[in-house]
Amino acid sequence: MATWEQNRLGDLVETQKGYAFKSGWYSDAGRPIVKVSDFTTDSVDSSSLVCIPEEIAADYLKYELKIGDVVVQTVGSWPTNPASVVGKCVRIPSNAAGALLNQNAVKLSPTKALDAQFLFYLLRSDDFKTYIIGTAQGAASQAAITLEAIRGYEFAAPPLPVQRRIAGILSAYDELMENSQRRIRLLEAMSRALYREWFVHFRFPGHEKHPRVASPLGDIPQGWEATTLGAHLAALESGKRPKGGIREEAEGVPSIGAENINGIGRHEFASEKLVPREFFEQMRKGVVRDRDVAIYKDGAYIGKSSYFRDGFPHSECCVNEHVFLLRANGVRLKQNALYIWLQEPDTVQTIRSKNANAAQPGINQQTVGGLELILPDENTAAHFDRLVEPLLAEIINLAKRIQNLRRTRDLLLPRLLSGQAALPHSASPSGRGAELDVSRGIQQTSGAVQPA
């Protein structure tokens, strides 16, 4: 049996704190900056990174991030808000490589005695999370941890070959999840490209037989309609949460808030809240139905939308008062097209420009109902719906697969890191067979991890 030696993290890593880049430097182009607000559950959302000019960035290249770098959040929330919890550990993805690390985070670079991937999973463990929260200080709304506290974490680690085998098993799950996420992005891009071809450029099948006619929104195909969203909605409603806010319920029904509105197939389960079942059963509005489209109605990111369908993210859930649920009447406007239209940058920009509350960004039902759009005839609407339906359905299937893979990986992680699960012979599985190979490791519920 391999000997697992006790270590102090600070003896095995080098650290690099992020830099407080000035907001006055921010620009639309240049070198991206990774902030803690860009952290996802275990990675970085690179879709909206701010930038600074390259000529300024040239003086701060020591803060540059590489693929696979391990970063820990040093300022954030307490565990009651998992989405931004202090001590969160993320790994830099390929599409954030080359970015610079902002303040309130620290990069950890392992020495030769510690595998980088093993380090990432170690800092994702409940043991590290419990330890680091125990060192945190701050007010009720914000917590902070010190570099010395991170360096002071003590843990048992196997020899490098065993570290690599453990990391190989866990990273196989991450690779499968990333493959599914890439497919989701491709399928969504395909559906949005088809929408623009038909409904923005008007190059739909048979468009040659539809001469353009004048409308309040410009020339449109004959038989189409320039209208408002409200005229084609069967329902537009928001939800609520119990008076006094949500306590940390151990059981209940998921209540989706604005922080969970991230697009089809993307959902931050860690930041979700629960409402008591009795409260849920008394709700008259805001209960999610299959294929409901949701829109973030107030706050910093108004106009973001999601699509709840086919039991994802939950077969039973509701929304709070910061989210609108939209249901089309299904004639000229169907749910698939409604969601894709809401994802269009021009639509999002229009929604944000109609802010109904200067003090707190937000939109109301009248604003949403008054949004202008162009809708096709019924036959074209039905044809488009049939074409995009399998694309969106596959996105949900992939999202469910990711959810299952993440759940299984997280169950396996503590067993492997504690040496309680035996390693399978195949340490670096890939492709479809990877899930079967790695699952064999899960089935080993006893015995210590053995070195190669």
Side-chain angles (χ1 to χ4, degrees):
M1 182 185 300
T3 301
W4 290 51
E5 295 184 357
Q6 198 70 15
N7 299 275
R8 179 178 176 273
L9 185 60
D11 296 332
L12 299 178
V13 300
E14 296 177 352
T15 55
Q16 173 66 65
K17 297 180 71 173
Y19 184 78
F21 294 99
K22 298 178 182 179
S23 59
W25 294 347
Y26 294 165
S27 61
D28 294 333
R31 184 68 66 111
I33 303 296
V34 169
K35 303 179 181 180
V36 295
S37 57
D38 301 310
F39 289 4
T40 62
T41 301
D42 50 16
S43 186
V44 171
D45 179 3
S46 62
S47 62
S48 57
L49 299 181
V50 300
C51 297
I52 62 172
E54 288 288 357
E55 56 268 26
I56 297 177
D59 294 329
Y60 299 93
L61 294 183
K62 76 180 209 175
Y63 302 100
E64 186 175 33
L65 296 166
K66 302 187 297 296
I67 298 173
D69 276 348
V70 176
V71 178
V72 172
Q73 183 169 337
T74 56
V75 177
S77 307
W78 293 96
T80 50
N81 187 1
S84 58
V85 65
V86 68
K88 176 190 285 189
C89 178
V90 302
R91 185 163 48 183
I92 301 302
S94 59
N95 51 13
L100 306 180
L101 183 63
N102 200 49
Q103 63 181 342
N104 300 332
V106 59
K107 179 178 73 173
L108 278 66
S109 302
T111 64
K112 294 181 180 179
L114 191 62
D115 179 75
Q117 290 194 85
F118 181 87
L119 171 64
F120 170 70
Y121 294 113
L122 176 71
L123 302 186
R124 296 283 302 169
S125 68
D126 287 341
D127 185 68
F128 176 75
K129 293 175 184 177
T130 301
Y131 161 79
I132 204 65
I133 288 295
T135 72
Q137 298 179 343
S141 60
Q142 188 177 80
I145 56 175
T146 66
L147 193 57
E148 192 54 40
I150 296 173
R151 295 176 63 87
Y153 175 59
E154 295 184 355
F155 61 97
L160 265 174
V162 180
Q163 291 181 31
R164 289 169 181 149
R165 292 182 67 191
I166 291 172
I169 293 170
L170 297 171
S171 63
Y173 282 92
D174 288 330
E175 289 169 12
L176 289 167
M177 287 188 280
E178 178 56 31
N179 287 339
S180 293
Q181 287 164 348
R182 281 196 291 267
R183 290 177 62 190
I184 285 175
R185 291 192 290 269
L186 177 61
L187 290 166
E188 190 163 14
M190 289 170 61
S191 64
R192 292 176 63 179
L194 185 64
Y195 179 90
R196 286 191 291 271
E197 183 73 3
W198 285 35
F199 303 129
V200 176
H201 303 301
F202 302 134
R203 293 194 289 259
F204 55 94
H207 65 89
E208 303 89 347
K209 301 176 183 179
H210 292 254
R212 304 287 179 88
V213 296
S215 83
L217 299 180
D219 290 348
I220 62 175
Q222 190 175 52
W224 289 35
E225 179 183 10
T227 183
T228 59
L229 179 60
H232 297 268
L233 290 179
L236 172 59
E237 62 188 47
S238 61
K240 61 180 181 178
R241 283 179 176 169
K243 290 183 178 179
I246 286 190
R247 298 181 297 276
E248 289 304 304
E249 300 286 341
E251 296 182 353
V253 179
S255 175
I256 295 172
E259 64 276 9
N260 305 119
I261 305 301
N262 295 313
I264 185 171
R266 293 183 290 274
H267 192 77
E268 288 290 337
F269 290 92
S271 62
E272 215 166 54
K273 303 292 192 299
L274 301 177
V275 296
R277 175 158 293 279
E278 181 181 4
F279 177 86
F280 172 77
E281 292 176 348
Q282 293 175 351
M283 291 180 66
R284 296 182 179 180
K285 295 182 179 180
V287 175
V288 174
R289 300 181 186 177
D290 186 47
R291 295 185 177 243
D292 271 356
V293 170
I295 185 170
Y296 184 159
K297 65 188 280 287
D298 52 53
Y301 300 101
I302 60 170
K304 290 179 67 176
S305 54
S306 283
Y307 192 6
F308 306 140
R309 50 171 290 171
D310 307 334
F312 186 89
H314 301 285
S315 58
E316 184 181 58
C317 58
C318 58
V319 297
N320 70 6
E321 65 277 13
H322 302 292
V323 177
F324 276 136
L325 294 178
L326 287 73
R327 301 181 194 118
N329 60 19
V331 183
R332 287 177 179 253
L333 180 64
K334 300 180 185 294
Q335 292 300 98
N336 289 337
L338 171 60
Y339 169 71
I340 299 172
W341 173 71
L342 284 170
Q343 289 288 302
E344 283 293 295
D346 287 348
T347 305
V348 175
Q349 184 57 42
T350 298
I351 291 172
R352 291 178 178 172
S353 70
K354 294 182 179 295
N355 177 19
N357 187 332
Q360 175 67 28
I363 51 175
N364 54 33
Q365 288 181 317
Q366 184 177 1
T367 300
V368 175
L371 293 171
E372 296 178 325
L373 75 167
I374 297 169
L375 292 180
D377 58 82
E378 293 182 29
N379 288 335
T380 304
H383 189 185
F384 177 80
D385 194 64
R386 288 193 299 271
L387 289 178
V388 298
E389 171 60 21
L391 304 179
L392 301 183
E394 180 60 12
I395 288 175
I396 296 300
N397 288 334
L398 290 166
K400 290 178 179 178
R401 184 173 186 238
I402 291 170
Q403 185 183 7
N404 289 333
L405 287 166
R406 180 175 287 115
R407 184 184 299 116
T408 305
R409 180 204 62 187
D410 292 346
L411 287 171
L412 181 58
L413 187 148
R415 290 184 175 278
L416 288 172
L417 292 183
S418 64
Q420 294 177 353
L423 288 173
H425 294 297
S426 178
S428 301
S430 61
R432 266 204 174 279
E435 294 171 81
L436 298 176
D437 290 341
V438 177
S439 294
R440 295 190 187 103
I442 302 170
Q443 294 164 7
Q444 303 291 335
T445 56
S446 62
V449 175
Q450 300 294 324

